[in-house]
């Protein structure tokens, strides 16, 4: 099925501050390489037949390339983001404006802190929601009320996996892949109940942001280095599309972070 993704070219990408353990401002990052890798990701989606829309990057917002954090869009309803850190605060209104400019009129201005699809992942019958580092648990109820979909809270406990989308991705509308070590004991139990057939990832695949992947139900766009996880996905019948994201990973992001899915 054709998907619609919103992306933001890393024109002003840089590692200038550290708001997660992946970021080392003293080491920096190579913007030209990041742009090339991002172009590769965009081409991968287009070659799969998906539609990619672009939002203009804003000077002074080096993390704006991580479009997943800009909103959560389900059934054409746009749940706006409100960032935890001041360095990214201006991205929330910038993404909301893109949606209103493009004709989306069911838009919600967020009350509680939430970082969009970084912490909200949508399946057929529910939305999984992360908390612990960025998104406040109160935002989960706020999203449920606006979207009219059940939202299930999952608690993240490992600072390397500070957004839900660094530790889990939906394989299709019904099943997921995840790294159990990123979750609290209670949340691991919830995941086992909801997804008894889930793909369980090893730490070495999680550590290259292998779970920050994008599946359209048949094809999985995934970090090139996540070898073990790719093998398991192939064994389960998925087509694997490896992409090189090493430069963007220096800011703590992979393919999914660069991708905001527009549903409906
Ligand atoms: N440097 C960004 C931050 O820490 C990376 C965001 C990655 N996005 C994501 N969806 N996990 O906020």
């Amino acid at each position: 099925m054709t998907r619609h993704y919103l992306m933001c070219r890393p024109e002003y990408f840089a590692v200038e501050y550290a708001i997660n353990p992946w970021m080392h401002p003293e080491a920096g990052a190579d913007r030209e390489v990041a742009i090339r890798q991002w172009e590769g990701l965009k081409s991968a989606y287009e070659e799969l037949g998906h539609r990619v829309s672009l939002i203009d990057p804003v000077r002074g917002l080096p993390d704006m390339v991580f479009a997943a954090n800009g909103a959560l869009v389900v059934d054409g309803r746009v749940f706006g983001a409100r960032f935890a850190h001041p360095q990214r605060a201006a991205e929330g209104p910038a993404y909301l404006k893109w949606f209103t400019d493009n004709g989306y009129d069911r838009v919600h201005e967020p009350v509680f802190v939430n970082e969009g699809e970084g912490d909200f992942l949508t399946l057929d019958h529910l939305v999984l929601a992360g908390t612990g580092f960025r998104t406040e648990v109160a935002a989960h109820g706020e999203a449920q009320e606006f979207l009219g979909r059940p939202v299930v809270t999952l608690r993240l406990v490992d600072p390397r996996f500070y957004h839900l989308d660094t530790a889990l991705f939906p394989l299709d509308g019904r099943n997921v892949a995840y790294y159990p070590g990123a979750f609290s004991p209670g949340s691991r139990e919830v995941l086992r109940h909801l997804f008894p057939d889930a793909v369980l990832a090893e730490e070495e695949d999680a550590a290259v942001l292998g779970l920050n992947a994008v599946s359209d139900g048949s094809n999985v766009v995934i970090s090139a280095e996540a070898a073990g996880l790719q093998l398991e996905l192939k064994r389960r019948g998925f087509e694997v599309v490896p992409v090189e994201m090493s430069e963007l990973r220096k800011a703590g992001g992979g393919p999914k972070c660069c991708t905001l899915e527009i549903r409906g």
Side-chain angles (χ1 to χ4, degrees):
M1 198 192 66
T2 301
R3 305 288 172 120
H4 183 191
Y5 299 129
L6 180 61
M7 297 181 72
C8 180
R9 198 166 191 271
E11 213 92 37
Y12 305 110
F13 175 68
V15 178
E16 291 170 349
Y17 47 76
I19 55 173
N20 68 54
W22 304 81
M23 301 176 87
H24 301 289
E26 66 293 349
D30 187 328
R31 183 175 299 153
E32 293 311 311
V33 176
I35 291 176
R36 234 181 298 128
Q37 293 179 341
W38 178 89
E39 298 282 1
L41 176 64
K42 177 170 174 281
S43 310
Y45 291 139
E46 288 166 343
E47 279 160 29
L48 289 170
H50 300 314
R51 173 174 168 213
V52 176
S53 294
L54 297 178
I55 178 172
D56 288 333
V58 175
R59 189 186 299 277
L61 296 176
D63 272 335
M64 193 169 168
V65 58
F66 301 116
N69 303 133
L72 164 67
V73 188
V74 181
D75 301 326
R77 300 181 201 185
V78 183
F79 187 71
R82 194 175 142 204
F83 284 80
H85 296 101
Q87 293 94 330
R88 300 194 66 187
E91 294 182 43
Y95 276 92
L96 259 193
K97 182 172 184 309
W98 185 91
F99 283 100
T100 48
D101 286 352
N102 283 276
Y104 291 80
D105 50 12
R106 301 180 79 178
V107 165
H108 177 81
E109 300 251 2
V111 177
F112 296 102
V113 169
N114 89 81
E115 297 199 349
E117 278 203 317
D119 275 321
F120 287 106
L121 296 171
T122 304
L123 286 98
D124 285 350
H125 300 298
L126 48 86
V127 176
L128 299 176
T131 190
F133 297 102
R134 301 285 180 90
T135 297
E136 292 179 278
V137 74
H140 298 177
E142 186 186 356
Q144 172 167 292
E145 196 57 34
F146 174 66
L147 300 172
R149 298 243 188 157
V151 173
V152 175
T153 294
L154 298 170
R155 189 160 294 276
L156 298 163
V157 295
D158 181 332
R160 290 175 299 167
F161 308 110
Y162 55 94
H163 277 141
L164 180 63
D165 75 355
T166 62
L168 181 150
F169 72 94
L171 293 163
D172 51 34
R174 272 173 289 274
N175 200 10
V176 301
Y178 66 98
Y179 169 56
F183 296 92
S184 70
S187 295
R188 285 206 292 268
E189 241 182 289
V190 169
L191 287 168
R192 278 201 299 274
H193 272 112
L194 286 173
F195 309 108
D197 297 323
V199 170
L200 300 185
E202 301 290 339
E203 177 168 21
E204 56 182 7
D205 290 316
V208 291
L209 289 180
L211 290 154
N212 195 249
V214 178
S215 174
D216 62 12
S218 315
N219 308 283
V220 181
V221 177
I222 183 171
S223 291
E225 295 90 339
L229 184 53
Q230 290 181 24
L231 216 61
E232 177 59 14
L233 292 168
K234 285 183 198 161
R235 208 181 62 78
R236 300 257 191 146
F238 290 93
E239 289 297 329
V240 168
V241 183
V243 286
E244 193 54 65
M245 297 297 284
S246 53
E247 214 55 33
L248 291 149
R249 194 159 59 228
K250 293 178 180 170
K256 168 60 199 167
C257 295
C258 298
T259 312
L260 172 55
E261 183 165 350
I262 301 177
R263 298 178 190 81

